[in-house]
Amino acid sequence: MGLRTADILSAMERFSKTKVPAEVEAQVTSSTSRYGKVKLVLQHDRYYIECPGDPMVLEQLLQDPVLRELRVLRDASDAVLPR
């Protein structure tokens, strides 16, 4: 949609009858800072998560035990490595 964090927060301030709580501002900032950093890609009938340009995002995702267990490791020839 192309909205920037500042645009969202500005609109929330304009349309809100009360001051937007700091917790809500922090949530919007946190959410929009992560937007678009992860892609779900379908290859060979399997879904893969890609994090181009930001390896720290992938590291954060791998902290989740479910995602960590589903990770597919490959060698330089693109062959799947055993677990």
Side-chain angles (χ1 to χ4, degrees):
M1 198 158 134
L3 293 176
R4 295 175 298 147
T5 303
D7 298 334
I8 295 169
L9 293 174
S10 175
M12 290 174 70
E13 288 291 334
R14 275 196 322 271
F15 296 117
S16 180
K17 291 184 180 184
T18 61
K19 176 152 176 49
V20 176
E23 296 85 5
V24 173
E25 289 182 6
Q27 177 66 34
V28 169
T29 301
S30 174
S31 296
T32 56
S33 71
R34 292 188 310 265
Y35 182 81
K37 291 189 178 185
V38 176
K39 292 195 291 184
L40 188 60
V41 179
L42 178 62
Q43 292 179 353
H44 310 294
D45 295 325
R46 294 186 73 168
Y47 284 100
Y48 294 89
I49 295 174
E50 291 183 353
C51 302
D54 199 343
M56 291 306 297
V57 173
L58 181 58
E59 290 302 319
Q60 288 175 334
L61 289 173
L62 290 175
Q63 298 302 312
D64 183 287
V66 173
L67 291 178
R68 186 177 3 171
E69 184 63 30
L70 295 173
R71 185 177 190 186
V72 175
L73 299 174
R74 297 181 180 273
D75 64 15
S77 68
D78 207 29
V80 175
L81 298 172
R83 290 194 155 255

